[in-house]
Amino acid sequence: ACLCAFALSLLTVVALIAWTATHDIGPILQILGPFITPHTIPVFAVFNAAVEELEYRGYIQQALLHAMPTTWASLLQAILFALQHVEGGFPSGALGSVMVCVWGLALGLLRCHTHGLLLGYMVHVVADFAIGCLIFQHFRQRERPPVKRPRKPNNPHKRTNGKAER
């Protein structure tokens, strides 16, 4: 289970970086961007992961497990988790929601396999830490004006066609 959690963490970070390289981060950049700093990223990661894991895998999935088989309970909580991320989450949009749904399903199955929330929570902290770093990077890039590079002066001794120009 620990190896699965480690692999899921790595795959998650790679997927988030790839998504960010090809998609606009969306509204979450304006919402969290001004508040995300190197000091607040760990706080964001720890608390957001705790809230979402308790809500979706702790409460919702646990309640669903009393009414349906593990696979269906895991899938339903993953769909609800993805719906939360459609507009303002990270990743967002149609592709982002599919990614979140698959990831939520993996976290739900990990929760059922381990009979607890700890490993899923740790994977979620890694993901939220990566998200915080990506938001910080993109917000700071937007905030900085483009750097103008000075033009190189003309070289009076530049050679063209074998002759020096004057």
Side-chain angles (χ1 to χ4, degrees), residues 7 21 23 26 34-36 45 49 51-52 67 72 76 79 104-105 121-122 130-131 134 146 153-154 162:
H23 291 78
F35 305 104
I36 295 290
V51 168
E52 289 184 346
W72 288 109
L76 186 53
I79 291 168
L105 177 61
Y121 169 72
M122 291 169 67
I131 288 168
L134 292 166
N154 291 336

Coordinates of all heavy atoms in Angstrom, one line a residue, residues 7 21 23 26 34-36 45 49 51-52 67 72 76 79 104-105 121-122 130-131 134 146 153-154 162:
A7 N 3.8 5.8 -5.6 CA 3.6 5.8 -7.1 C 2.5 6.8 -7.4 O 2.6 7.6 -8.4 CB 3.3 4.4 -7.6
A21 N 1.1 22.9 -17.9 CA 1.8 23.4 -19.1 C 0.9 23.6 -20.3 O 1.3 24.3 -21.2 CB 2.9 22.4 -19.4
H23 N -2.7 24.0 -20.0 CA -4.0 24.6 -19.7 C -3.9 25.9 -18.8 O -2.9 26.0 -18.1 CB -4.9 23.6 -18.9 CG -5.4 22.5 -19.8 ND1 -4.5 21.4 -20.1 CD2 -6.5 22.3 -20.4 CE1 -5.2 20.6 -20.9 NE2 -6.4 21.1 -21.1
G26 N -6.8 29.0 -14.3 CA -8.2 29.3 -14.1 C -8.4 30.2 -12.9 O -7.5 30.8 -12.4
P34 N -2.7 35.6 -4.7 CA -2.2 36.6 -3.8 C -1.8 36.1 -2.4 O -1.0 36.7 -1.7 CB -3.3 37.6 -3.6 CG -4.2 37.4 -4.8 CD -4.1 35.9 -5.1
F35 N -2.3 35.0 -2.0 CA -2.0 34.5 -0.6 C -1.0 33.3 -0.6 O -0.6 32.9 0.5 CB -3.4 33.9 0.0 CG -4.4 35.0 0.0 CD1 -5.5 34.9 -0.9 CD2 -4.4 36.1 0.9 CE1 -6.5 35.9 -0.9 CE2 -5.3 37.0 0.9 CZ -6.4 37.0 0.0
I36 N -0.7 32.8 -1.8 CA 0.3 31.7 -1.8 C 1.7 32.2 -1.8 O 2.1 32.9 -2.7 CB 0.0 30.7 -3.0 CG1 -1.4 30.1 -2.9 CG2 1.1 29.7 -3.2 CD1 -1.5 29.0 -1.8
A45 N -1.4 23.1 1.9 CA -1.4 21.6 1.6 C -1.9 20.8 2.7 O -2.7 19.9 2.5 CB 0.1 21.2 1.2
A49 N -5.9 19.4 2.3 CA -5.9 17.9 2.2 C -6.7 17.3 3.3 O -7.5 16.4 3.1 CB -4.5 17.3 2.2
V51 N -9.2 18.7 5.1 CA -10.6 19.0 4.9 C -11.2 18.1 3.8 O -12.3 17.4 4.0 CB -10.8 20.5 4.6 CG1 -12.3 20.7 4.1 CG2 -10.5 21.3 5.8
E52 N -10.6 18.0 2.6 CA -11.1 17.2 1.5 C -11.1 15.7 1.8 O -12.0 15.0 1.4 CB -10.4 17.6 0.2 CG -10.7 19.0 -0.3 CD -10.1 19.3 -1.6 OE1 -9.2 18.6 -2.1 OE2 -10.5 20.3 -2.2
A67 N -24.3 1.6 2.1 CA -25.4 1.4 1.2 C -25.1 0.7 -0.1 O -26.0 0.3 -0.8 CB -26.0 2.8 0.8
W72 N -18.6 1.0 -6.1 CA -19.6 2.0 -6.4 C -19.5 3.2 -5.4 O -19.6 4.3 -5.8 CB -21.0 1.4 -6.4 CG -21.2 0.5 -7.6 CD1 -21.3 -0.8 -7.6 CD2 -21.4 1.0 -8.9 NE1 -21.5 -1.3 -8.9 CE2 -21.6 -0.2 -9.7 CE3 -21.4 2.2 -9.6 CZ2 -21.8 -0.1 -11.1 CZ3 -21.5 2.3 -10.9 CH2 -21.7 1.1 -11.7
L76 N -18.7 6.9 -6.7 CA -19.6 8.0 -6.5 C -19.0 9.1 -5.7 O -19.1 10.3 -6.1 CB -20.8 7.5 -5.7 CG -22.0 8.5 -5.5 CD1 -22.4 9.1 -6.9 CD2 -23.2 7.8 -4.9
I79 N -16.8 11.1 -8.2 CA -17.6 11.9 -9.0 C -18.0 13.2 -8.3 O -17.9 14.3 -8.9 CB -18.8 11.2 -9.6 CG1 -18.4 10.1 -10.6 CG2 -19.8 12.1 -10.3 CD1 -19.5 9.1 -11.0
G104 N -9.6 10.8 -7.5 CA -10.4 10.6 -6.3 C -10.8 9.2 -6.2 O -10.9 8.6 -5.1
L105 N -11.0 8.5 -7.3 CA -11.3 7.0 -7.3 C -10.1 6.3 -6.7 O -10.3 5.4 -5.9 CB -11.6 6.5 -8.7 CG -11.9 5.0 -8.8 CD1 -13.1 4.6 -7.9 CD2 -12.1 4.7 -10.3
Y121 N -4.4 10.7 2.7 CA -4.1 12.1 3.1 C -2.7 12.5 2.8 O -2.5 13.6 2.3 CB -4.3 12.2 4.7 CG -3.8 13.5 5.3 CD1 -4.5 14.7 5.0 CD2 -2.7 13.5 6.0 CE1 -4.0 15.8 5.6 CE2 -2.2 14.6 6.6 CZ -2.9 15.8 6.3 OH -2.4 17.0 6.9
M122 N -1.8 11.6 2.9 CA -0.4 11.9 2.6 C -0.2 12.2 1.1 O 0.5 13.1 0.7 CB 0.6 10.8 3.1 CG 0.6 10.8 4.6 SD 1.5 9.3 5.3 CE 3.1 9.6 4.7
A130 N 2.2 20.5 -4.5 CA 2.6 20.7 -5.9 C 1.7 21.8 -6.5 O 2.1 22.7 -7.2 CB 2.5 19.4 -6.7
I131 N 0.4 21.7 -6.2 CA -0.6 22.7 -6.6 C -0.2 24.1 -6.1 O -0.2 25.1 -6.8 CB -2.0 22.4 -6.3 CG1 -2.5 21.2 -7.1 CG2 -3.0 23.5 -6.4 CD1 -3.7 20.5 -6.6
L134 N 2.8 25.4 -8.0 CA 2.4 25.8 -9.4 C 1.6 27.1 -9.4 O 1.9 28.0 -10.2 CB 1.6 24.7 -10.1 CG 2.4 23.4 -10.4 CD1 1.5 22.3 -10.7 CD2 3.4 23.7 -11.5
P146 N 7.5 41.9 -18.2 CA 8.5 41.2 -19.0 C 9.8 42.0 -18.9 O 9.8 43.2 -18.9 CB 7.9 41.2 -20.4 CG 6.7 42.1 -20.4 CD 6.3 42.4 -18.9
P153 N 25.1 46.5 -29.1 CA 25.6 47.6 -30.0 C 26.2 47.0 -31.3 O 26.7 45.9 -31.3 CB 26.7 48.3 -29.1 CG 27.1 47.3 -28.1 CD 25.9 46.4 -27.9
N154 N 26.1 47.8 -32.3 CA 26.8 47.4 -33.6 C 28.3 47.3 -33.4 O 28.9 48.1 -32.8 CB 26.4 48.3 -34.7 CG 25.0 48.3 -35.1 OD1 24.3 47.2 -34.8 ND2 24.5 49.3 -35.7
G162 N 34.0 38.7 -46.1 CA 35.5 38.7 -46.0 C 36.1 40.1 -45.8 O 37.3 40.2 -45.6

